[in-house]
Amino acid sequence: MTIRQIFVILRARSRLILAVFIAVAALGAVVAVILPRNYTANVALVIDAKSANALLGQMLSSQMLGGYMATQVDIIGSRRVVERAAAAPEVADDEALRAAWRTETGEEVAFPLWLADEIESNLDVQPSRDSNVVQIAYTCAVAEQCANVANAVANAYIATNLEMKVQPARQYAQWFESRNSSLRETVEAARRRLSDYQREHGIVTTDERLDVETARLDELSRQLVAAQSDRSDSRSRRNQSGSGEMLPEVVQSSLLASLKGELARLEAQRDQATARLGPRHPEIVRADREIASLQRRIALETSRIVGSIDTTDRVNADRVAEMRQAVDEQKAKVLKLKAQRDQIAVLQKDLDSAQQAYDVVNGRLAETNLESQAQQTNVFVLASATPPRLPSSPRRALIVVLASVLGVLLGVSLALGLEMIRRRVRSEADVVDVLGIPVLGALPRAGNTLLLR
């Protein structure tokens, strides 16, 4: 079937199409008039998603903004918010709603439950694209009622949002308070153990005492080394005391040098006098006595020097023993101080750990206490709902237009359908298509039928 044939058919059945169009359009107009009017009230909320917790300065990352906004939309439409809005005085005391409840349920269902279901079914929450604005729309038959319910839902969400922040903070504050008390006791016990240990051992500043005692140990160690060196030297000289004449003290003694010089002079004089006077001469005998006296003095002085070396060696040995004992005692003292310092370090570490844990919990306690007293949220009402002047549905003009379009389509479809059921010859092309014979000529139209010969 060509387009020309379709136009011919539509022109031939134009009355039918017009009748169907008028009927459907009239039905649409009647429906538009009969349908009850509904109003939609809107509330615009701004959710400051970046500062989800402005009180504590916590910021959300850009990756979490989408999920946060979606969560807030779900919370607005949640049953908890709806029930809270249904309990608002301006909604719960609405006589029109109570009348509708009695009509629908016969008071067999609790009014708060019915009202929450009613609000939930007519509530629409939509986030704005690429912004933090959320639109809350509520549709009902009474304009003022729609505005009251929409505002009640917005207020219920704001209160729930604040409650969701404050209530956990209060619970955390209670928990931190209990932990804070126990940790305070732990800190006081650790500080008491440290103080008792310091008082018991008379420790004021361990590091300074240890430094002084360590320096003293070093000094005693140096003195011990010096005493051991002196002891080694005196013992070496003592071992050489068998040949006393070779001792440095004997060789370097001025008294022995003068005595030996005097002895040599007297021996020389005696030798000269012996050669002249003979060995029994009184002068020779006197010279021998003087020489023997000098020899005894030299031997006595040498013996005294050797004896002083022995005495020095014994003194050095005693001094080494005393110094070794002093070093051992000082070493034991330093080790004791180190042990005390290590014990104090352990006690101090316990105190520091307990203090750090207490400070962390105390800081979190202050934060949660502050957060639990918050009265501000990150949600702001951008535009409150007002009773709408015009109904949101039904859209009468749109219904009439759609009915008119539907009437045209239905009329055209009906015309084409009837034509296909009972095909008529309406043009030269129909003769060729239906009868399969060529057209020799055409007469003028008589009504809607073409006369052919």
Side-chain angles (χ1 to χ4, degrees):
M1 186 179 294
T2 63
I3 296 178
R4 183 172 179 275
Q5 289 174 318
I6 293 174
F7 277 117
V8 171
I9 294 171
L10 295 179
R11 185 175 62 182
R13 296 186 179 274
S14 59
R15 293 179 180 178
L16 175 62
I17 295 173
L18 180 60
V20 172
F21 166 75
I22 293 174
V24 174
L27 180 62
V30 171
V31 170
V33 173
I34 294 176
L35 287 176
R37 293 184 177 186
N38 288 321
Y39 297 87
T40 300
N42 293 277
V43 177
L45 299 179
V46 178
I47 301 177
D48 187 7
K50 289 187 177 180
S51 59
N53 196 334
L55 183 64
L56 302 180
Q58 296 177 355
M59 307 295 290
L60 287 179
S61 62
S62 57
Q63 293 82 1
M64 298 177 63
L65 289 179
Y68 180 79
M69 291 298 298
T71 301
Q72 299 307 307
V73 170
D74 292 340
I75 293 174
I76 295 174
S78 66
R79 189 70 179 184
R80 181 174 180 176
V81 172
V82 169
E83 290 179 352
R84 192 164 195 159
E90 64 272 17
V91 177
D93 297 340
D94 193 321
E95 292 299 330
L97 286 173
R98 290 190 174 272
W101 163 65
R102 295 187 187 96
T103 302
E104 290 185 16
T105 66
E107 300 186 6
E108 294 180 357
V109 180
F111 177 70
L113 181 61
W114 174 86
L115 183 56
D117 292 337
E118 189 73 13
I119 294 175
E120 189 174 15
S121 61
N122 295 321
L123 184 66
D124 182 38
V125 183
Q126 294 294 333
S128 299
R129 187 176 180 180
D130 299 329
S131 73
N132 294 341
V133 177
V134 176
Q135 297 289 339
I136 300 176
Y138 184 74
T139 303
C140 65
V142 181
E144 185 177 356
Q145 182 186 110
C146 293
N148 291 336
V149 173
N151 289 327
V153 171
N155 294 331
Y157 164 65
I158 294 175
T160 302
N161 181 276
L162 179 61
E163 188 179 86
M164 290 175 63
K165 295 178 180 179
V166 172
Q167 188 63 32
R170 289 175 181 172
Q171 295 175 356
Y172 278 121
Q174 294 176 358
W175 185 83
F176 281 125
E177 180 65 31
S178 63
R179 291 294 300 156
N180 189 60
S181 301
S182 62
L183 286 175
R184 186 187 301 113
E185 295 175 358
T186 303
V187 170
E188 292 175 354
R191 184 177 289 113
R192 189 162 49 251
R193 286 195 300 269
L194 178 60
S195 300
D196 292 344
Y197 186 84
Q198 289 178 329
R199 183 170 57 255
E200 180 182 353
H201 294 84
I203 299 173
V204 179
T205 306
T206 307
D207 291 338
E208 292 183 1
R209 285 191 59 188
L210 182 60
D211 293 339
V212 171
E213 297 299 337
T214 302
R216 185 177 179 185
L217 176 60
D218 294 339
E219 179 63 27
L220 290 175
S221 298
R222 286 194 294 270
Q223 293 179 9
L224 175 60
V225 171
Q228 288 175 339
S229 177
D230 294 341
R231 172 74 172 88
S232 176
D233 182 61
S234 63
R235 184 170 52 188
S236 175
R237 290 199 304 271
R238 180 181 179 185
N239 292 335
Q240 296 176 2
S241 61
S243 55
E245 298 293 335
M246 303 301 296
L247 291 174
E249 288 80 356
V250 175
V251 175
Q252 296 174 3
S253 176
S254 59
L255 178 57
L256 288 176
S258 62
L259 291 176
K260 288 179 179 180
E262 182 66 20
L263 177 61
R265 185 182 62 78
L266 290 176
E267 287 178 346
Q269 289 179 358
R270 186 196 63 181
D271 291 341
Q272 291 177 2
T274 300
R276 187 178 71 251
L277 300 175
R280 296 187 178 275
H281 193 276
E283 292 183 3
I284 299 300
V285 174
R286 183 174 56 79
D288 289 336
R289 285 198 299 270
E290 291 179 358
I291 289 172
S293 176
L294 284 174
Q295 288 176 345
R296 286 193 301 271
R297 290 184 61 188
I298 290 173
L300 182 61
E301 184 64 24
T302 301
S303 177
R304 188 188 63 78
I305 292 175
V306 172
S308 66
I309 291 175
D310 293 339
T311 303
T312 301
D313 182 61
R314 288 193 301 271
V315 171
N316 287 338
D318 294 340
R319 186 166 181 268
V320 167
E322 292 175 359
M323 293 303 300
R324 183 175 288 112
Q325 182 180 358
V327 168
D328 292 340
E329 292 176 355
Q330 186 64 22
K331 187 180 296 184
K333 191 173 183 179
V334 170
L335 292 176
K336 182 179 179 181
L337 284 176
K338 286 184 177 180
Q340 293 176 353
R341 184 186 65 177
D342 294 340
Q343 182 63 27
I344 288 179
V346 172
L347 296 175
Q348 185 65 47
K349 186 176 182 180
D350 293 342
L351 175 59
D352 293 341
S353 300
Q355 185 68 46
Q356 183 178 6
Y358 172 73
D359 292 341
V360 170
V361 172
N362 196 45
R364 289 292 295 131
L365 175 61
E367 291 178 1
T368 52
N369 278 332
L370 185 63
E371 189 175 0
S372 65
Q373 299 172 9
Q375 298 297 325
Q376 298 295 328
T377 68
N378 60 327
V379 182
F380 308 94
V381 178
L382 183 63
S384 299
T386 57
R389 294 186 304 104
L390 300 176
S392 59
S393 66
R395 300 177 65 178
R396 295 178 176 177
L398 180 60
I399 292 175
V400 172
V401 170
L402 292 177
S404 300
V405 173
L406 180 61
V408 172
L409 293 177
L410 185 61
V412 171
S413 300
L414 183 61
L416 293 176
L418 294 174
E419 190 69 22
M420 295 301 294
I421 294 173
R422 186 180 179 184
R423 187 70 181 274
R424 296 184 180 185
V425 176
R426 299 185 183 279
S427 65
E428 295 87 344
D430 292 339
V431 175
V432 176
D433 293 339
V434 175
L435 302 178
I437 58 178
V439 177
L440 299 178
L443 296 177
R445 295 179 182 276
N448 291 329
T449 305
L450 180 66
L451 300 179
L452 303 174
R453 301 189 71 160

